[in-house]
Structure formats: structure tokens, C-alpha cells
Amino acid sequence: MLCILWHLCCTVYIPEVSGQGVAGFVVTLKDSLAANKDSRFLYNNIRITNKYHQAQSFQLSVTVPDGWRLMAPAKSLSKVLDPDQSEVVPVILMRQQNAPALWKPVQVQVDAKAYRFYIKAEPICEFLVTPLTSVIQLKGQEKDFTVTLRVRNTGTVPGAYLANIRNRNLDINSTEKFRLKPGTDTVYSFSYHLKDKAMNMLKAEKLQINVEDTAGISYMNYAMLERVQHERKEKESPYITFPFWIETGVMIWGKQVSYYGGMHGEIPIGDNKLSFFYRTKQYGLGNNLEQNVMGFNYQTKHWDLYAGHMSDIKYFFTYGNGGKITYRPKPNTEFTISGTKHSDALTWFTNDNLTMTAKYPVGKVTVLQGIAGDVDHIQRRQSYLFNNELQLINTPKVLLAVNAGVGMDFFAKKIPGFPDKPGMASGYNFSYHGKRIDFNSLVQYYNDYFPGLNKGLTYQFHDINWKFGNNAVGAFYQYNHSGVNTLRDTIYSTDAFKFNIAKYGLKYSHGFMNGSFSLSGGLMKQSIVVGSTMPEYIFGEMYLKRQTGKKFSFFLNSISGYNGSYGIDKKAVFLTNTNMSLAYKVFGVKGTFMQQPVFDQTTEKNFLRYVQTMLAGPFMTFTLFKRVKTNVYYNFSKSLYDNLVYHQVGGNIMYSNPKNGLDLSASAMIPLESGSLAPNGLGEKYISISMTKKFNVPIIFRKKYFTLNLLPFFDVNGNGTRDAGEQLIPNLQININSIPFISDEIGSISYRNVTPGKYQLDFGGANNVKGVIPASGLTQTVPVNKDLTVLIPFKRSRVITGKIMISSDSLARSNFPRSNIKVIATDSTGMLYSTLTDDMGSYFLNVPAGKYAVSLNPEAFSDKIRPRVMSYSVDVATRLEATADFEIVDKSRVVRFFKKK
């Protein structure tokens, strides 16, 4: 954006000007020159012609603006010209790094006459980032650290920058804004204090460093943050633990208060698992439907054994206690038998059930079979069914499945209209997904004598679409005839609550980025069993969903039907159901409008009135403290049935923390009217609070994880064993599987509750105790399958010492840090020894006797900031100590020019 603005601010000039000077001199030059990104020099030839009738002399000088250097002419010049003689004086200008992207004048003085031409640099948005910190080590209880980097504006326009450092695990996210003029730089230092929670979980984490300018150009790098301590736990407990959750909740509706509690868990038993749950009923409610429930499930590779509370709706609705056995002999094969016995305390569900299912392949066909028997002692009914399904084809392009079943109800107490007669079921499911054509067809038919939940159900759905680009057009047909008798009127044995629908028509859909749109229309017919059919409507339906990033979202779904002449009185009826939601960032608004016609109970189904409901209001969705998701809303609703208006405020809050296993949820709806007669509880406050807490419970009789103790000691006599008087070495750094440890004041390191396996000990970083080196090499591998203590002998070493010095010119004001710079010593075999400089830039390395190349990490430097010498040769084969000092030269401000003679 800045680059574009700079371009717009620049004036366009004509290419060449000339003028008549004093004493008959004519001066010609280009009036504007622009340096592009790849060139640093501009050239303008100044032609001076003597139009006087005799010879005469002139004197020329050139003055340039800031950000440019005059290369030629190097000084003022004089020359004599004969009549009509011309002289071309080349002017050469060099663009400096801070040359502005604005037209600036260059003054050319010819004797007493001044001429001007204008120059500018091309608008360039560029910057350079040099990481100054690559590794940070926090030792012991240190919590403060600093990450440093240098940002330099290498472009020609002022830059605005955002520097950000983050790590999700440590909850670090900090941003700093700053501006830099062209050619200037700054050192950005991020200082942070770790919280106790982050400190406890820190081992080794990458800190992501980002710098971005307003033009969208970004830079990313990483710094490693390590915690070095003498003791660490890989697991919280040395024993096997199993997850155990407890939950509880309270609900308030008006003046009625109810509450419940529960728990569930999973206990590992070898490669198997035992899970269990228990949940109380809602105490405080006056009902006999809910009961305290519990269950146990033992799962192995091939078997599932369950006993406890049962609830199922596969073929019959069952609710009670029982068990289930599942056997999986091989993939895609499964056999299950389950039984449910209703509770004598229940008066709503009084049926007992036994169900067996099987799934197995026959060639490429998958067979699913089910046999169920259901007995209801109150209704004095026995029901049996046998159902089969064959998955003939199941590919991403084609799906084909067929099903068929038979069954029968036996009633000891005869119900009018329901004789003892066998029933049947059949159907298929077919879909084809081609490049241009999508076709789906589903038919399910259960006649009125087929037992179970699907009694009397007929369902059809057929849909075909032709796709072209992001668009599709098609036709559909849907038919639903419900025969479920769960809500049967037990007094009159009627199905007054059946609701059936038929809908067919055409559809257009369009898909676009982050959204979709569809429009359909056709005929729709509704019916109920009591009386006759309801109106047949011409209907239209629209669906629109759009999402733009995380800031904006819009949703609209509306279906409307119209019949212009229905009933004896030829009444026009109209139904509609519209839902809408619009949100921007945390704010939003939602609304619902529904209108449904109501008819009388005569066979003519004459229109009586409309049931109309409106609901609308704003809402806010936002996050507090990074883990608390909050939604608050206000609802305005109006039921045109009684023409009353209701107002409610409410919201919900959810807190989830996987680290401590705590989940909290609270929701509330408070009516603003007191003493309202609003139906369906709209006039009563509703408050719900629930909590779930996860615990990791140890199984104390089974230890799974072990402790690895390291005891580094100074082996005075070199026999490899710790003898009397040989001391442990405190403050010595050792890496275990790349995790840094440091021995405590006694000299011990402890890695607790580790998984059994092989662990690599790396002593290459043992450079905080001067003059010692491991006697058996820099690495060692130890197997851990029990609690283990390892003695590690150290011997006297050779030492390479040195320091880092910073050199810069007087204008650089260099603040290049000397701390945490990596120093590497490499021997003739390629073995590496490394350390980091301290706050004063000093370091030392413990190495065996030999010759070494001591160098700095080249990735930490740029072309402007580099060591004068990157590597030194050091010989400690015959002496105990050697020195290698490094000088880092900061050339970021140094520009050398030709001196004027």
C-alpha cells in the first residue's frame, strides 16, 4: 500500500529542457531521471553551446540532494568555447540506500544561471531481518529470557512493521509495532517472563518469530527455548493411569430446581479396556421416567462385553437393563446379541427385547442381517421380525444396497384394525456420482403389519442433478408417509399425530468460495390421518450460506407455500418458515418467522386461522481469557396467536481446558416480563450449570514407567569406577534424548517416570564446568527397563577459551548482542563440540587433546554484520589451554566513497 501511495505522489516530467543563458550560452539537459530497483546510477548529459560571436568561458558546478552521491563531475569545472562550439558534461549520480522515492532537485549552476533537473529512486518496499538469538537456555528456576533480532529497511520508502513472537504451548503471543525510514535499522528485543504453568511443562520449544510490513511481505524464523534442570518427569506417575471423569449439573426452571451427578472412566487391562459409567436421574423433578443408570463394557481385540443400562431404537424402542455381546473375528465381520429387560419401576416402557445382528462379507457383497423379538406385557403383544440388507456395490462412484424383511405382531388383547397378520419390508438405496451427473434414489417401504418403529412407514427420495462448472440443475421427488405409533392415543386407538408430506419440483444450485446458493420450487402436499388431506401448495425454497474469513458470515433458509383456493369457502392459504443469521466479527443478528394455517376437524378441513410466530434479536459471540467462549443474546418474540410480545435475554458460557481436564458450561434465559402468561415456559427463567472434571487415576499395583538417574563424577585415577574420595560434579550439563539437564549442587540428574526403551546421553554440551570431559566419549546409550542409576566418569580436558568483540563505526550505535552466540569446535574426524557465549561474550569449550577448527554459526550473521574471521585453527594437542577471540564487524552504516582530489 505504501508503495502505491508513493507512486501516486510522484509527478511526471517532460524528458528534456533547454534555456538561453548569460552571454549567449544555451544549456540542454534531461529534466527528470528515475533510478529503478536494479540500478544505482543515473546519467544526465548537460550540453553547453556557445551562441555568441566570439569565444568565451563558462564555469559549471552541480549540487545534489540528500540520499544521492555526485560521482562526476567530481569538482567544479571551467572551459572556453569558440563560437557555435558545444561541450557535453556528463553528470553521474549514485543512489544511496536512503535515497527517497520522491522527486528531488539537482541544481546545475552555469556561471550565474541556475538550471534544475529532478531525480528520484523507485519506490521499493524491502527489509532485512537478522536473527541475533537462536538458542535460549533457562537454567534452574530462571523464568526471564530475551529474544533479539535486527530489522533493517533496505527499501526506498518509509516502512511500518509488525514484529511478533509466539508459542501456543507456552501461551506466548506478543506483537510490537515500529517504523523505519529508508536505510535505517533497529534492534527488536522481546523480553518475557514465563508463568509457572508454562515453566513446569517447558522442555524444549520453538519460538516462532515473524516480521511483516504493510505491503504483506513477511519474514519468519525460529528461536529454540530450552529449560535446563536437574530433575524432570516424562509422565506424572510411574504407574499406569486411567482417565476418570466426574460430572454434575443443576437446572432451574421457574421455581423448580433439579440436579444430577455422574461419572465414567476407562481402565486399561493389558491390551484390553474396561469402561464404565454411572448417572443419576434428575432429582427434584416429579417424574417416574428417569432412573439412576450405570453400565460396564469390557473390550478386547475381538470381543465387546457389556452389561447395564440399555436404550436402543434399531428395530424397537427399548429402555431398561440388560447386556450385549459383540464378536469381531476379522475385519468387516461382526456378530452381536443384545437383550433388554424393562424396569418394574417404569410405567412408560414395559417391553422386553432380544436382538441379534450379523455383518459378514460374501465375496464382494456385504450382508447385514437382524433378528428381533419384542414382548410387551402391558399391551399383551409379542412381535418378531427378520431383516436383511445386501451392500452389492460400494465405491466412490456407485453405491447400491437392497433390503427386505418380514415380521408379525401377535396381540393377546385384540385392537380394532390390527389383526394378527404378517408384514413385510423392502427397499433399496442407489447413488451414482459422475463427472456431470449426480443421481440418488432411495425407497423404503414397511407395510402396516410390519412390527416395530417403522410400522407403516413409506419413504421415497429421488434426486438427479446435471453439473456444469460451479452450477447444477436438477429435479427431485420426496414422499414421506409415517406410520410410527409411538404417540398412539391409547383411549381411542388413533394416530392423530401422524404427519405426512409429498414434495417434488426443480432445483438450481451454485457453489462459490466459502459458500453456496440453491433455489428450488414445485408442489408440496401435506396430510394427516384424522379427517382428510390438507392443502396442496405451490412452494419455493431458497438456501444461501456465505462465509468470508473469520469475520463475516450470512445464512438464510426460507420455504414458502401457497394455495389460492382451498376448502368450501375457497380460502387462499399461505405458509412460510424463514430463518436468517448475519454475523460480523463478534456481533450478529438472527431472526425467525413462521406461519402455519390451522384447519377444523371436519372432513372439509375449513380454514380457521394462522399460527404465526416471530423471533428476532442481536447476539454477541466472543472469547474471554483465550479459553472461555461466550454467547449473549436478546430475543424479541411475538406469537400472533394471542398477539402478545415477549422479551428475553440470555446467553451461555463454556470453559474447556484439556490440560487440567476441566469443562464448565452455563446457560441462562431470563424473561423481562414478570408474571407473564407466555406459553411453553417463555415466561419462566431457565438456568443450567454443568461441570465435568477429568482425573488420571494411577493403578498403584502396576508400575509402567521408570527413573533414570545420572551421577557424573571426576575419575581421578582413570579406572572408570567411582572410588572413595572421587567427587560428583555439580552444575554439569548433559542431554538425555536431546533434552538438556544440569546436575544439582550435589551432582545428580534424575529423569523420572520415563517410557521403557533406549536413551541416548549426549555430553557435547557439558561446557559449564571448566576442565572436564567424559572419559568414554561424547555419547552413550543406556537401555531403561527398570529404575536405573548410571555412573559417568569424567577426566581432565583441554580448554579452548575466547570472547566476542563488536566493531562498528561511530554512527552505527551497534547493539548487536554478544550473548547466546553459538561457538563450534570441530576436530579432524568431524566430531563437533559446541557452547554458547555468556552475557559478556565470553565462552569456553572442553575438548580432548588435538587440533580443532573453532568457528561461529554463519546463519546468525548477514552481509552487513559478520565476523572478520569466521574460523580459527587451534592446537591443544600439547598444551592444556588455547584462545580464539572473534571480532564481529558491524558495517551496516559504513559507506565508502571516492575522495575528492
Side-chain angles (χ1 to χ4, degrees):
M1 181 61 73
L2 285 175
C3 292
I4 297 174
L5 292 176
W6 278 100
H7 278 297
L8 293 176
C9 292
C10 297
T11 309
V12 178
Y13 292 86
I14 60 176
E16 189 171 290
V17 296
S18 63
Q20 178 74 37
V22 294
F25 285 115
V26 176
V27 179
T28 304
L29 71 162
K30 292 182 179 179
D31 76 333
S32 59
L33 299 169
N36 59 37
K37 179 180 179 181
D38 298 325
S39 66
R40 295 191 62 188
F41 296 94
L42 293 179
Y43 304 90
N44 199 352
N45 292 325
I46 301 176
R47 178 181 292 275
I48 303 172
T49 304
N50 182 10
K51 293 295 184 179
Y52 201 54
H53 57 81
Q54 64 182 22
Q56 59 178 348
S57 65
F58 70 88
Q59 186 171 3
L60 180 143
S61 63
V62 180
T63 304
V64 299
D66 292 339
W68 298 86
R69 180 74 177 180
L70 179 63
M71 307 303 295
K75 59 181 180 178
S76 298
L77 61 87
S78 299
K79 191 165 185 178
V80 177
L81 295 179
D82 293 330
D84 295 324
Q85 183 181 359
S86 297
E87 178 72 18
V88 176
V89 179
V91 176
I92 303 175
L93 305 172
M94 185 178 73
R95 173 176 59 85
Q96 299 181 10
Q97 193 168 11
N98 61 338
L102 290 174
W103 291 109
K104 295 292 184 180
V106 177
Q107 182 166 305
V108 179
Q109 191 77 26
V110 180
D111 292 338
K113 179 70 172 180
Y115 300 88
R116 284 186 177 182
F117 67 91
Y118 290 84
I119 59 176
K120 75 164 186 175
E122 179 183 356
I124 301 173
C125 297
E126 287 184 348
F127 65 98
L128 177 67
V129 178
T130 304
L132 306 181
T133 303
S134 57
V135 180
I136 311 106
Q137 289 188 340
L138 301 179
K139 297 180 180 179
Q141 297 301 314
E142 292 179 353
K143 298 181 180 179
D144 299 305
F145 65 91
T146 301
V147 178
T148 307
L149 53 89
R150 171 166 286 183
V151 183
R152 181 176 187 80
N153 185 351
T154 57
T156 60
V157 298
Y161 306 95
L162 289 176
N164 174 266
I165 185 168
R166 68 176 66 129
N167 180 280
R168 180 175 298 180
N169 295 333
L170 301 179
D171 197 22
I172 294 176
N173 192 352
S174 180
T175 301
E176 181 177 317
K177 300 179 181 179
F178 54 90
R179 294 178 176 272
L180 292 176
K181 295 181 180 179
T184 62
D185 60 8
T186 187
V187 172
Y188 166 63
S189 294
F190 169 80
S191 298
Y192 198 82
H193 178 82
L194 279 183
K195 300 176 183 179
D196 291 339
K197 187 179 296 184
M199 186 72 176
N200 292 333
M201 62 85 59
L202 173 62
K203 293 181 181 178
E205 292 283 345
K206 282 186 177 180
L207 304 178
Q208 182 177 323
I209 304 168
N210 293 280
V211 180
E212 183 176 353
D213 66 2
T214 52
I217 302 172
S218 62
Y219 162 89
M220 184 179 70
N221 203 343
Y222 293 95
M224 182 63 68
L225 178 64
E226 301 175 341
R227 185 185 180 191
V228 188
Q229 54 188 11
H230 74 277
E231 183 179 86
R232 187 188 299 275
K233 292 181 179 180
E234 181 182 295
K235 305 292 183 181
E236 286 298 320
S237 171
Y239 303 100
I240 292 179
T241 62
F242 68 90
F244 177 74
W245 293 266
I246 61 171
E247 60 177 311
T248 185
V250 177
M251 285 164 284
I252 304 173
W253 193 339
K255 296 181 179 180
Q256 190 175 40
V257 180
S258 63
Y259 53 92
Y260 73 95
M263 64 178 183
H264 65 280
E266 299 175 351
I267 302 176
I269 304 175
D271 295 331
N272 306 324
K273 180 176 66 176
L274 174 65
S275 58
F276 59 91
F277 73 91
Y278 172 77
R279 190 180 188 278
T280 71
K281 66 179 181 180
Q282 292 187 33
Y283 291 99
L285 292 178
N287 68 74
N288 58 359
L289 173 61
E290 284 197 341
Q291 298 291 315
N292 299 333
V293 296
M294 65 185 304
F296 298 87
N297 186 71
Y298 182 70
Q299 183 177 358
T300 70
K301 181 180 180 180
H302 298 292
W303 292 89
D304 280 358
L305 307 175
Y306 173 83
H309 173 71
M310 298 285 291
S311 178
D312 190 25
I313 55 171
K314 187 172 184 63
Y315 299 119
F316 299 88
F317 184 84
T318 62
Y319 189 91
N321 296 306
K324 178 188 290 187
I325 300 175
T326 300
Y327 175 56
R328 297 179 298 274
K330 57 184 179 180
N332 203 33
T333 302
E334 183 176 285
F335 302 95
T336 300
I337 180 171
S338 64
T340 304
K341 179 73 171 64
H342 77 279
S343 173
D344 293 334
L346 298 177
T347 58
W348 292 78
F349 306 106
T350 57
N351 58 309
D352 303 328
N353 182 270
L354 180 66
T355 299
M356 293 180 288
T357 62
K359 175 184 176 182
Y360 52 91
V362 178
K364 295 183 178 181
V365 176
T366 300
V367 180
L368 296 95
Q369 294 179 314
I371 302 175
D374 195 81
V375 178
D376 193 313
H377 302 282
I378 300 300
Q379 295 185 9
R380 301 176 66 185
R381 169 188 56 79
Q382 297 182 22
S383 302
Y384 305 95
L385 63 84
F386 176 50
N387 191 63
N388 300 273
E389 181 178 346
L390 301 179
Q391 293 183 355
L392 302 176
I393 304 174
N394 188 2
T395 67
K397 192 173 183 179
V398 179
L399 170 69
L400 176 61
V402 296
N403 64 279
V406 294
M408 186 171 179
D409 287 325
F410 297 92
F411 291 93
K413 178 182 179 181
K414 300 300 180 182
I415 299 177
F418 288 89
D420 293 344
K421 185 177 179 180
M424 62 165 290
S426 62
Y428 70 86
N429 183 11
F430 174 76
S431 65
Y432 170 78
H433 303 286
K435 185 176 180 180
R436 293 292 184 185
I437 299 294
D438 268 352
F439 178 68
N440 297 276
S441 181
L442 172 67
V443 173
Q444 291 295 320
Y445 170 74
Y446 302 86
N447 72 3
D448 292 336
Y449 301 104
F450 189 81
L453 290 172
N454 293 325
K455 177 187 291 290
L457 171 65
T458 301
Y459 179 78
Q460 294 187 53
F461 177 76
H462 311 282
D463 178 85
I464 185 169
N465 289 281
W466 180 64
K467 298 177 290 185
F468 53 101
N470 294 328
N471 306 288
V473 294
F476 64 91
Y477 173 80
Q478 179 181 348
Y479 175 80
N480 184 84
H481 176 86
S482 176
V484 176
N485 57 4
T486 304
L487 300 177
R488 173 183 294 276
D489 188 318
T490 56
I491 298 178
Y492 298 100
S493 297
T494 63
D495 287 330
F497 300 101
K498 285 183 179 179
F499 188 74
N500 306 316
I501 188 172
K503 185 167 67 171
Y504 52 93
L506 303 176
K507 180 181 180 180
Y508 166 77
S509 61
H510 173 73
F512 48 87
M513 184 176 295
N514 300 322
S516 61
F517 168 79
S518 66
L519 184 66
S520 59
L523 296 178
M524 179 174 63
K525 185 176 182 180
Q526 293 178 332
S527 65
I528 59 176
V529 171
V530 177
S532 61
T533 61
M534 295 173 68
E536 182 176 278
Y537 299 96
I538 299 174
F539 85 94
E541 184 173 6
M542 182 178 68
Y543 174 89
L544 174 62
K545 184 178 182 180
R546 179 66 186 267
Q547 182 105 17
T548 304
K550 296 181 179 180
K551 294 183 178 181
F552 174 82
S553 64
F554 177 76
F555 170 79
L556 174 65
N557 184 217
S558 179
I559 181 170
S560 299
Y562 176 75
N563 186 307
S565 177
Y566 181 73
I568 296 178
D569 53 359
K570 304 299 182 181
K571 178 71 175 180
V573 291
F574 179 76
L575 66 82
T576 184
N577 190 343
T578 300
N579 295 280
M580 184 274 295
S581 175
L582 174 67
Y584 178 73
K585 292 185 178 180
V586 300
F587 301 97
V589 61
K590 61 183 178 180
T592 298
F593 176 75
M594 183 183 70
Q595 175 174 289
Q596 180 75 31
V598 178
F599 304 91
D600 63 20
Q601 296 299 314
T602 65
T603 55
E604 290 82 8
K605 299 300 256 181
N606 292 309
F607 173 81
L608 296 178
R609 62 183 180 275
Y610 284 112
V611 174
Q612 296 172 314
T613 301
M614 296 173 55
L615 185 146
F619 64 88
M620 291 178 59
T621 302
F622 53 93
T623 301
L624 295 173
F625 311 114
K626 298 183 179 180
R627 294 191 183 277
V628 181
K629 295 182 179 180
T630 306
N631 172 265
V632 294
Y633 63 86
Y634 160 79
N635 278 344
F636 159 86
S637 60
K638 183 176 183 180
S639 174
L640 301 184
Y641 173 75
D642 50 14
N643 207 31
L644 293 179
V645 176
Y646 309 101
H647 304 268
Q648 306 93 26
V649 293
N652 57 75
I653 298 176
M654 292 182 293
Y655 169 82
S656 180
N657 190 339
K659 294 181 179 180
N660 61 17
L662 180 62
D663 291 329
L664 295 172
S665 177
S667 61
M669 190 279 293
I670 309 296
L672 299 183
E673 296 88 358
S674 59
S676 171
L677 298 178
N680 301 323
L682 291 177
E684 301 286 350
K685 69 176 183 291
Y686 173 79
I687 300 173
S688 173
I689 302 173
S690 63
M691 180 198 76
T692 302
K693 179 71 173 74
K694 178 184 177 182
F695 298 91
N696 291 316
V697 181
I699 305 176
I700 59 175
F701 53 83
R702 187 177 177 188
K703 192 171 185 179
K704 184 177 181 180
Y705 308 107
F706 305 102
T707 297
L708 173 62
N709 295 313
L710 303 182
L711 298 177
F713 70 96
F714 189 71
D715 189 9
V716 178
N717 56 17
N719 63 357
T721 60
R722 186 186 179 194
D723 300 319
E726 292 181 340
Q727 301 297 318
L728 298 179
I729 305 175
N731 300 317
L732 183 71
Q733 183 171 323
I734 299 175
N735 291 347
I736 305 177
N737 283 1
S738 301
I739 301 174
F741 287 79
I742 188 169
S743 58
D744 61 11
E745 64 277 2
I746 299 175
S748 66
I749 291 174
S750 182
Y751 196 12
R752 299 184 179 277
N753 307 334
V754 300
T755 305
K758 293 182 178 181
Y759 286 77
Q760 185 173 16
L761 311 182
D762 182 2
F763 311 112
N767 290 300
N768 51 336
V769 176
K770 195 172 184 179
V772 296
I773 195 169
S776 302
L778 290 182
T779 60
Q780 181 179 341
T781 301
V782 294
V784 178
N785 50 25
K786 62 179 180 179
D787 291 340
L788 184 66
T789 298
V790 180
L791 287 164
I792 304 171
F794 276 73
K795 64 182 181 180
R796 185 170 298 280
S797 71
R798 303 295 196 265
V799 179
I800 300 174
T801 63
K803 59 183 177 180
I804 305 294
M805 298 172 290
I806 308 296
S807 297
S808 61
D809 72 342
S810 59
L811 297 177
R813 295 179 297 173
S814 178
N815 47 8
F816 189 92
R818 293 180 290 176
S819 61
N820 288 317
I821 296 177
K822 191 174 185 179
V823 184
I824 305 168
T826 308
D827 65 11
S828 58
T829 65
M831 181 67 70
L832 300 180
Y833 303 81
S834 64
T835 189
L836 300 175
T837 59
D838 60 19
D839 293 339
M840 302 303 295
S842 298
Y843 75 92
F844 70 85
L845 277 164
N846 296 318
V847 295
K851 295 181 180 181
Y852 295 87
V854 182
S855 62
L856 299 182
N857 180 15
E859 296 180 358
F861 304 99
S862 67
D863 293 338
K864 299 295 184 180
I865 304 175
R866 295 189 65 80
R868 190 178 298 277
V869 178
M870 187 67 74
S871 177
Y872 290 97
S873 295
V874 175
D875 188 353
V876 287
T878 58
R879 50 180 175 168
L880 294 178
E881 189 170 326
T883 301
D885 295 332
F886 292 89
E887 180 185 5
I888 296 176
V889 180
D890 185 352
K891 298 181 180 180
S892 57
R893 298 282 184 167
V894 177
V895 179
R896 292 187 176 89
F897 300 106
F898 299 110
K899 295 182 179 180
K900 294 182 180 180
K901 295 182 180 179

